[in-house]
Amino acid sequence: MFSFLNKNQSTGEVEELQLDEANIPAHVAIIMDGNGRWAQQRHLPRIAGHKQGMDTVKTVATAASHLGVKVLTLYAFSTENWKRPTAEVNYLMKLPVDFFGTFVPDLIKNNICVKVMGYTDKLPAATQKAVRDAIADTAHCTGMVLNFALNYGGRAEIVTAVQNLAEEVKAGRLDPAAIDEAAIDQRLMTADLADLRDPDLLIRTSGEERLSNFMLWQVAYSEFVFTQQHWPDFDQTALEQAIYEYQQRHRRFGGLTPAKG
Ligand code: IPE
Ligand code: IPE
Ligand code: MG
């Protein structure tokens, strides 16, 4: 069931590759990059790339859910993306309204539950409402979690967690000596994902090889896969190729046993 056709990079031949169904990464996180360049290459305005990228989100979310991914986190808007021209920011803020407005019935059909992490209180009211409604409408879904990082920044997330810890110490509810990794995990935006909070596989499209402030704490032991495609060109096969690459890795977590996957 989980086999796919892959074009071998060195020979150019099409080969059938098998995914190990027992080793599908539980949490896949994607830095969806390259929308603007995809559009520019076609002499289109940057926002045309964002529109096309929204369709890719639908394709990839459905494919990930069918493959058995448990959490799919998508970096949609960073705390630094406000630096872009107002017209582009406004368009990006409208996208969740269009996306959820058309896609929630499909999400429900696929038993996909929407979550959002980020400083959503800073989003325009209509975007906040679209997000709130999508979360409420899919709250009963028990399948994959589709987790959007929206106005999210890894450093800001850590700063907020530290502020919360400091407040608790100040109020006398927390002993500084009791602050451990779990205490920090519990105050990050991924806390409610429990054991699935850390991505197993992190994918970035468009050839850029950096984190751009994404999940700095949580990716400590993630496997990274960088692909050349711009996000609007990413598809089910590209996801399967990335998972295949993940399955060839040996995760050791600092130990010596080359545990597979
Ligand atoms: C990713 O594509 C989408 C967002 C960051 C919102 P970009 O808009 O960054 O596209 P490039 O990197 O400029 O091509
Ligand atoms: C990262 O992409 C943010 C998202 C994909 C939402 P950017 O395009 O903003 O990252 P930089 O500026 O190239 O590092
Ligand atoms: Mg970019």
Side-chain angles (χ1 to χ4, degrees):
M1 174 172 129
F2 289 170
S3 67
F4 66 102
L5 295 177
N6 180 58
K7 194 165 173 217
N8 189 296
Q9 292 299 312
S10 37
T11 65
E13 274 174 29
V14 175
E15 58 196 1
E16 190 176 338
L17 295 178
Q18 304 281 342
L19 288 182
D20 176 358
E21 289 181 42
N23 189 24
I24 298 295
H27 185 167
V28 176
I30 308 184
I31 303 175
M32 310 184 287
D33 199 15
N35 291 351
R37 278 164 286 165
W38 181 93
Q40 276 158 353
Q41 284 172 354
R42 287 160 181 76
H43 308 287
L44 296 168
R46 289 178 55 83
I47 59 168
H50 296 313
K51 187 173 180 352
Q52 192 66 34
M54 183 178 86
D55 286 339
T56 306
V57 171
K58 296 180 181 180
T59 307
V60 170
T62 310
S65 148
H66 288 156
L67 285 168
V69 170
K70 293 196 162 53
V71 178
L72 177 67
T73 298
L74 299 177
Y75 202 9
F77 192 89
S78 76
T79 46
E80 287 74 40
N81 286 145
W82 297 105
K83 293 176 189 166
R84 296 186 179 199
T86 313
E88 181 170 345
V89 169
N90 288 345
Y91 188 81
L92 288 167
M93 288 299 143
K94 259 189 40 213
L95 273 184
V97 180
D98 294 349
F99 177 82
F100 292 124
T102 54
F103 200 50
V104 163
D106 283 295
L107 291 172
I108 294 171
K109 217 181 298 161
N110 285 299
N111 200 22
I112 297 173
C113 169
V114 173
K115 281 194 194 301
V116 174
M117 63 175 190
Y119 297 88
T120 49
D121 55 323
K122 301 287 189 305
L123 302 174
T127 315
Q128 287 191 43
K129 180 171 168 18
V131 162
R132 254 197 329 267
D133 289 351
I135 292 171
D137 292 346
T138 62
H140 64 285
C141 295
T142 55
M144 188 181 82
V145 172
L146 178 58
N147 182 33
F148 284 98
L150 207 48
N151 196 21
Y152 170 87
R155 286 189 172 182
E157 177 189 37
I158 292 170
V159 167
T160 301
V162 170
Q163 285 173 344
N164 290 342
L165 287 167
E167 290 290 348
E168 289 170 54
V169 170
K170 191 173 152 199
R173 290 195 304 271
L174 183 66
D175 175 0
I179 299 174
D180 54 8
E181 291 187 9
I184 294 176
D185 266 328
Q186 283 155 19
R187 286 157 185 87
L188 295 177
M189 293 170 177
T190 42
D192 60 347
L193 296 171
D195 288 351
L196 296 172
R197 59 171 70 86
D198 297 338
D200 298 290
L201 168 62
L202 173 83
I203 301 169
R204 183 168 186 150
T205 59
S206 88
E208 306 297 348
E209 301 190 355
R210 55 178 170 266
L211 282 174
S212 301
N213 203 12
F214 189 49
M215 301 187 88
L216 300 178
W217 171 275
Q218 296 91 336
V219 298
Y221 273 105
S222 305
E223 295 296 330
F224 291 13
V225 171
F226 298 104
T227 76
Q228 293 305 312
Q229 294 121 311
H230 294 316
W231 177 248
D233 288 329
F234 198 83
D235 59 9
Q236 173 164 346
T237 305
L239 176 67
E240 288 165 340
Q241 283 167 335
I243 292 177
Y244 183 83
E245 193 172 330
Y246 166 87
Q247 293 186 341
Q248 313 312 307
R249 306 271 178 92
H250 297 291
R251 303 181 77 185
R252 284 183 286 275
F253 301 97
L256 293 179
T257 320
K260 252 202 105 200

